[in-house]
Amino acid sequence: MLCVTGNERSVAELVRRIESAPEVGLHEVRLDLLEGIPSGVCGRLPGREKLIVTCRPKREGGGWDGAEERRVRRLREAVEAGVGWIDVEGSTPGELLEELLGMPGPTRRIVSAHPAAGDGETALGVLARLGAHRAHVLKLALPIEDAADLAALRDAAAATRRKVVAIGTGPAGVLSRVAYRAFGSEWTYVAADERSRTAAGQWTLAEARRAGLDRQAPRVYGLLGGPAALRSPGPRVYNALLSRSGQSAAYVALPTSRPGPVLELLRAEVLAGLSVTMPHKEAVRDLLDEEAPSARRAGSVNTIVPVAGRLVGHSTDGAGALGALGGPAAVAGRRVVVLGAGGAARAVARALLDAGATVTLAARRSGRAAAVAEALGAGWVEWSEAAALPFDVLVNATPLGADGVSCPVADAATLAGRVVLDLVLDPPRTPLLRAAAQAGGRAISGLAHWAHQGAAQMRLLAGLALDPADLLRAAEAPAGGEG
């Protein structure tokens, strides 16, 4: 069930929002955000049986900074008006809280908590504390900065054995909002529109409907990576394409430093599959049950598909690089320098070697470059020597350039007449690519690689036949421009 919320400042705006979507299961009324709360306002609102009325204090992230007695009086008026629900914080002073919970009438009660980041109390501890009160539903909105913590949130909700709404707030917690049924939640909160979001990570009603959240549990795919996962075009582009495919499905970013708990969510079928990006492409290998030939040859994984209860790793990075460079024929017999020695560098170097290129690796950690080169049968040089090498193609598989300032090549003149592929996605036009273009080289954006590897990846994950050119156009379009 969907609960539509908003940040309306006037009663008129609130009424318009409720009347614009009468078919949804619930509407949240944020009294704390209204500019002045007219006496008896809840009795004048349409669809009272579908309303969740709350008046959240500033100590829990809301807008109310008045006296507790006045705040509780507003909620008491909502109960007297016969609204469907009230949401009252467990931190409300004891006598006032018990008064609200004990009032007669059909209004159901939610007891909630909205801890601040760094509070230190566990999800299980918060829900146990809320569970001491008489309530129909326990609601926890817990800040999530690492997606691995979503596993503990889900476990806590299950252990409570009460009706709950368990939300991981923030961009890293989106999975709990989209796969809310898998987290044991009775409903999920969605914003009326883009301007009405009341919390980070909240989807809009339109986004939720496109993914089918109002009809059934969607298949949810995720992007497992570091903080840069939040800047990937994947969620924006794939969610648009998945909705057009007719699937009830969604794609979310899962930034984490601990991939293990996220893979447990995949095993538990909370997730339907994973894309994997830096820095986890090699680390996840030990957490899988099986590797496809593409992953074994690449020595890294960028796609994880569950098959009959087993997690199988694949790699589409090498195929993506070849596609971006124009195919195997475009690199056969060419001299290629690959900068980096991580998972993406391994996969790209393997594919280039298989296509007949001569490959030399260079990395800031020379020992790492030497080990990877030996495993692949490629050459390697010290990082400081890479610029002096004769080459036809340069591939940057390091994060250098993601800050918009650093460039892995000091002398732009060495790029004249060369092909340069930079795997950095954001910014799409890195200092290296700008230098290559200015020197007369051919500059290929990381988005081209992303589009080619992504088309192969989504075929494995969701069975979609996507054209890399369409993916590239969607990725390059401004946010909101993909339809």
Side-chain angles (χ1 to χ4, degrees), residues 42-67:
C42 290
R44 303 201 302 271
L45 295 176
R48 288 196 297 276
E49 71 284 355
K50 290 186 174 185
L51 301 185
I52 299 177
V53 177
T54 190
C55 191
R56 191 166 305 150
K58 281 196 170 181
R59 66 175 179 272
E60 298 216 17
W64 178 270
D65 60 357

Side-chain angles (χ1 to χ4, degrees), residues 134-232:
R134 295 171 293 169
H136 297 87
V137 170
L138 310 179
K139 173 189 163 192
L140 171 59
L142 186 71
I144 296 292
E145 297 178 347
D146 187 309
D149 293 331
L150 289 170
L153 176 62
R154 179 174 180 266
D155 290 344
T160 302
R161 300 187 182 281
R162 295 276 296 275
K163 289 185 177 181
V164 300
V165 174
I167 305 166
T169 61
V174 171
L175 176 65
S176 67
R177 295 180 180 275
V178 176
Y180 70 94
R181 296 174 180 87
F183 282 76
S185 292
E186 296 290 303
W187 57 78
T188 190
Y189 291 85
V190 297
D193 54 43
E194 292 282 353
R195 296 169 296 178
S196 302
R197 300 182 201 270
T198 58
Q202 208 170 63
W203 275 25
T204 65
L205 176 58
E207 289 170 329
R209 283 173 167 164
R210 283 198 293 267
L213 266 64
D214 55 337
R215 301 188 302 275
Q216 63 192 76
R219 292 175 61 80
V220 184
Y221 306 97
L223 173 60
L224 178 71
L230 295 173
R231 300 192 298 272
S232 168

